Structures are given as structure tokens and as C-alpha cells.
Amino acid sequence: MYGLLSRSLGRGLLRAAGRRCWGCSARPLPGRVGGLELDAVVSPHRVVPRGRGPGLLPLLAALAWFSRPAAQEEEEEQPGAGGAATEDAADEAEAEIIQLLKRAKLSIMKDEPEEAELILHDALRLAYQSDNKKAITYTYDLMANLAFIRGQLENAEQLFKATMSYLLGGGMKQEDNAIIEISLKLASVYAAQNRQEFALAGYEFCISTLEEKIEREEELSEDIMSVEEKANTHLLLGMCLDACARYLLFSKQSSQAQRMYERALQISQEIQGERHPQTIVLMSDLATTLDAQGHFDEAYIYMQRASDLAREINHPELHMVLSNLAAILIHRERYTQAKEIYQEALKQAELKKDEVSVQHIREELAELSRKNQSYMCHGTGEFWVRRQKQSTWKSVLVLYHWM
């Protein structure tokens, strides 16, 4: 989306809304998953409606409400001093839009989605009144993100499509990173709706388009395309591979998910380094995928490395990485060590005030305790048993900021 914004508006909007990348914290709840008419996508991150209240206004109604008044059109046609006044008014409107977007972001952070929605509608109305097409497009995108977060999947789908329509109508090519990013979000909407055919088609469109684009970009010199621009395209491919892998893992296609995770991890390591938070998350997710296939020793190697790195950098999802490590240790029948790791994870989860993870870890510890009382592990005198269910999907699924 960034290339489409004017320089001043782009800087302001990015400050207001936060730079989108491979990483806002989001975890799936057990048993819940989130799913282009090839138009557009989100990966199956946790889809938990946050708050209630009126849904987003239907798209056509919004367009009717935000039509520009005729007086403004006449004013824009006046030359000279009138033109300068119009330009000043546009600058003022742009500044007000940026402030509204900052307020909307703050409301989202405070878990006040209804307030954020109202503010975004104000921003959209002002963007239409000032005929700021870039602001219109960007605000639609934020509204779509908010709708998805709230579990309003149909609204999110329509708003993402509206955003894409504005971009394509403005001359943007289908292979542009902004189009691919929205297509990825749409695919994830379909994944969340369990529309498997559309979800997989969306992921495939994103991945194949980026692979072809990267192949062409490799031949371009730096004076035509910078190293940073090329890296951004690679990172977007990594994000698409990551999202598709999560959906495949949920769909119990573990071997295919493994290949996707391996490619995404390689991209993150090469461009962002081994100690980057996203790289650590991908190590954990790859380990979880290997664990789901019964490759416990290989899974342990990746997860142990991920946990070591997560401790070193004080990763925000350290407690989840440790919880994943403990689960793999149980599958390797190293129960005493698993209990110690779970206890460490519990302390970290309590510090982060992650109530969902706290509850889950406590349940795992209780299960270990019950089995200690019921089953004898031969030769040690301890009562343990391997968990009957091979692997519940507890990977650190985080929508990370790749860019």
C-alpha cells in the first residue's frame, strides 16, 4: 500500500496506523480457525470478535454518504488565489485525516472497536469530501482490517475488495505488492470462512505471482530497483508462505505446510537474521509442523534453538515458544523437563498477562500431574504416560511485520 500514498500522507498514515508487517500478535484458540474469488486474503490467525455493536456500513451506502458536495467541485475549478486556497484546504483536510487515523489506532489498542469504527467513518467521509483518493483507499483498508479483527468476515471481504478496486482502477498492476497484500488478506478471510477452494486459490495466486515477480526483479540493476525494494518483495513472499502454511497445517496437510514453513524461514533468516522475532516464530511453527508428523527429534532441534533465541532477545511470545517446547518434550517422553519448561512458560505468561496462555499452560500441567498419579513409567518409579493426542496446534501463529 505504501507506494500508492503521497509522501506526506504516507508518512503520516504510517505513523498513525503503524507499519504493517509480518507481526501483530495473534494466536489461534484450540478448535477455531479461520478463509479471492481470486480477487483478494488473511491467514487463519485467531479470529475472535472483540466487542459488539453495529457492523460496518454497507459499502454502497458508504459511497452514497461520502459523495463530494457540488460546491467543492466548483471551488476546485477556480484558478489563481482560489486554487491556492483549495490547496491549503486540502492540506488541512489531510492533516485532520491523519489525526483521525491516529485516534482510531489508539481506540483499537484500547480494545474499543466500536469507537475506532466511528472514527474511521469520519476519516472516510472527510477523505471523500476532499477527494483524497489515497486517503480513501487507505482508510478502506484499515476499516477492512478492523472488521476482520472483529470477526465481521463478510464486511471485511467487501471492504478489502473495495480497496483493491480503487487501486486497480487507479492503474495499479495486479502484481503490485499492495494488490498481493490485500489478496493475502482476502484469502485469509476465505480461510476463516472455511471456503477452502477460494482460500487455496488466493494463496496460490499470491505465491506464484510473487515468485514470477522476484525472478524478473533479480535481473534489474540497483539504479532501476533498490535492494530494499527487492527485499520487500521477498519478505512479502515469506508472509504469504507463512499464511498458507498455517492454513495447510490446520487442514492436516502437514507435509505441505512443512515445505512452506521451510521456505518462509529461509527468507526470514537471509533478510532479517536468525535473531529477528519473526525468524524465531517461524522456527517454532516449523517445529510444531514436524511434531505433528511425528518427527519429534527434528522438531526438538528447531524448537530448542527457537527457545534459546527467544530468551536471548526477550521475545514477546517467549511463553508460547516455551509451551511449544514443553509439548515436544512430552512427545519425546522427557516429562520432568517438560514440567520445568511449562512452569517457566507459566511465569512468562503471567508476566505478559496473557490469560488464554495461562489457562492453557495450567491445564497442561494438571494433565501431567494426573498422569503422574495414574501411570508408571518403567524403570524410574515415576508415574507418567505419553499424551494420547499427538499434537494440538499450539504454534506461535503471529501475523508478523515482515516489512
Side-chain angles (χ1 to χ4, degrees):
M1 291 284 303
Y2 312 131
L4 114 117
L5 299 173
S6 67
R7 191 167 296 177
S8 60
L9 178 63
R11 285 197 299 265
L13 292 179
L14 288 175
R15 284 195 299 269
R19 192 173 179 81
R20 289 172 302 162
C21 358
W22 216 349
C24 306
S25 181
R27 295 172 294 280
L29 294 174
R32 295 284 301 276
V33 74
L36 256 179
E37 289 167 7
L38 205 63
D39 281 317
V41 185
V42 233
S43 42
H45 320 300
R46 177 176 62 179
V47 181
V48 182
R50 301 173 122 194
R52 303 191 178 183
L56 294 176
L57 293 175
L59 179 58
L60 294 179
L63 291 173
W65 280 21
F66 302 133
S67 299
R68 284 189 304 149
Q72 184 177 342
E73 295 179 3
E74 294 175 1
E75 187 179 38
E76 288 175 354
E77 294 174 358
Q78 296 177 3
T86 301
E87 184 175 346
D88 290 340
D91 290 341
E92 291 179 6
E94 184 173 290
E96 186 175 349
I97 292 169
I98 291 172
Q99 290 302 316
L100 287 169
L101 294 175
K102 288 181 179 179
R103 288 176 52 203
K105 181 190 175 186
L106 179 60
S107 295
I108 294 172
M109 293 173 63
K110 293 167 63 177
D111 198 17
E112 298 174 349
E114 293 89 352
E115 180 66 19
E117 182 180 320
L118 292 173
I119 295 171
L120 286 173
H121 279 301
D122 288 341
L124 186 59
R125 183 180 64 252
L126 184 58
Y128 268 101
Q129 290 174 348
S130 58
D131 196 26
N132 191 324
K133 293 181 174 59
K134 294 164 186 173
I136 291 170
T137 306
Y138 198 91
T139 305
Y140 267 135
D141 192 42
L142 292 180
M143 292 171 73
N145 289 334
L146 178 60
F148 182 75
I149 291 171
R150 300 179 69 186
Q152 299 171 349
L153 300 180
E154 292 184 4
N155 283 328
E157 177 184 354
Q158 294 304 315
L159 287 164
F160 281 133
K161 287 181 177 179
T163 306
M164 182 178 290
S165 177
Y166 266 89
L167 294 177
L168 294 173
M172 185 171 287
K173 295 181 179 179
Q174 195 173 20
E175 66 176 18
D176 191 280
N177 285 2
I179 299 296
I180 301 298
E181 183 181 348
I182 298 173
S183 296
L184 179 61
K185 293 174 182 178
L186 264 174
S188 297
V189 169
Y190 296 134
Q193 295 172 325
N194 292 318
R195 296 163 68 180
Q196 184 176 18
E197 182 179 356
F198 290 131
L200 292 176
Y203 291 133
E204 173 60 28
F205 165 76
C206 294
I207 292 170
S208 61
T209 302
L210 286 170
E211 288 174 337
E212 294 173 3
K213 183 178 180 179
I214 287 172
E215 187 175 350
R216 292 194 303 271
E217 289 181 351
E218 287 178 351
E219 302 175 359
L220 300 178
S221 61
E222 287 189 29
D223 58 334
I224 298 176
M225 175 169 286
S226 68
V227 174
E228 182 181 1
E229 288 177 303
K230 292 181 180 180
N232 283 341
T233 302
H234 279 83
L235 290 172
L236 182 56
L237 173 59
M239 184 167 65
C240 294
L241 291 166
D242 180 17
C244 185
R246 272 175 271 159
Y247 184 62
L248 290 170
L249 182 59
F250 176 83
S251 303
K252 303 187 185 307
Q253 301 179 58
S254 301
S255 60
Q256 295 94 320
Q258 177 187 337
R259 291 192 291 271
M260 296 281 185
Y261 272 133
E262 288 171 342
R263 293 179 62 194
L265 177 59
Q266 181 181 3
I267 290 172
S268 187
Q269 286 175 322
E270 290 177 354
I271 297 180
Q272 303 183 125
E274 189 180 44
R275 291 168 58 87
H276 190 277
Q278 180 58 50
T279 303
I280 295 171
V281 166
L282 287 168
M283 283 184 190
S284 177
D285 289 347
L286 175 57
T288 301
T289 306
L290 291 165
D291 180 70
Q293 299 175 75
H295 306 318
F296 304 135
D297 292 341
E298 189 177 358
Y300 174 74
I301 293 172
Y302 278 105
M303 194 66 79
Q304 183 64 61
R305 182 57 179 162
S307 62
D308 290 342
L309 291 169
R311 289 189 184 100
E312 288 178 15
I313 70 168
N314 192 23
H315 197 290
E317 304 292 346
L318 172 59
H319 58 293
M320 300 187 69
V321 175
L322 292 172
S323 181
N324 290 341
L325 174 60
I328 291 174
L329 287 168
I330 289 175
H331 293 159
R332 300 182 78 222
E333 300 182 357
R334 296 169 62 175
Y335 306 111
T336 301
Q337 188 177 355
K339 182 178 180 181
E340 293 173 355
I341 297 297
Y342 267 135
Q343 290 171 338
E344 181 184 357
L346 180 60
K347 291 180 181 179
Q348 291 293 329
E350 290 173 339
L351 288 174
K352 298 287 172 52
K353 298 182 179 180
D354 184 344
E355 295 301 327
V356 174
S357 293
V358 167
Q359 180 180 351
H360 166 71
I361 296 169
R362 285 175 177 169
E363 290 172 354
E364 293 295 301
L365 285 169
E367 182 179 354
L368 281 176
S369 179
R370 286 193 301 272
K371 291 179 178 179
N372 180 43
Q373 297 173 6
S374 304
Y375 298 91
M376 168 91 56
C377 180
H378 296 294
T380 66
E382 296 182 14
F383 297 94
W384 299 102
V385 68
R386 172 185 281 190
R387 295 195 314 181
Q388 294 302 309
K389 54 181 181 180
Q390 284 279 307
S391 172
T392 55
W393 186 25
K394 299 187 294 295
S395 57
V396 181
L397 302 176
V398 180
L399 180 59
Y400 266 91
H401 300 281
W402 282 73
M403 302 185 190

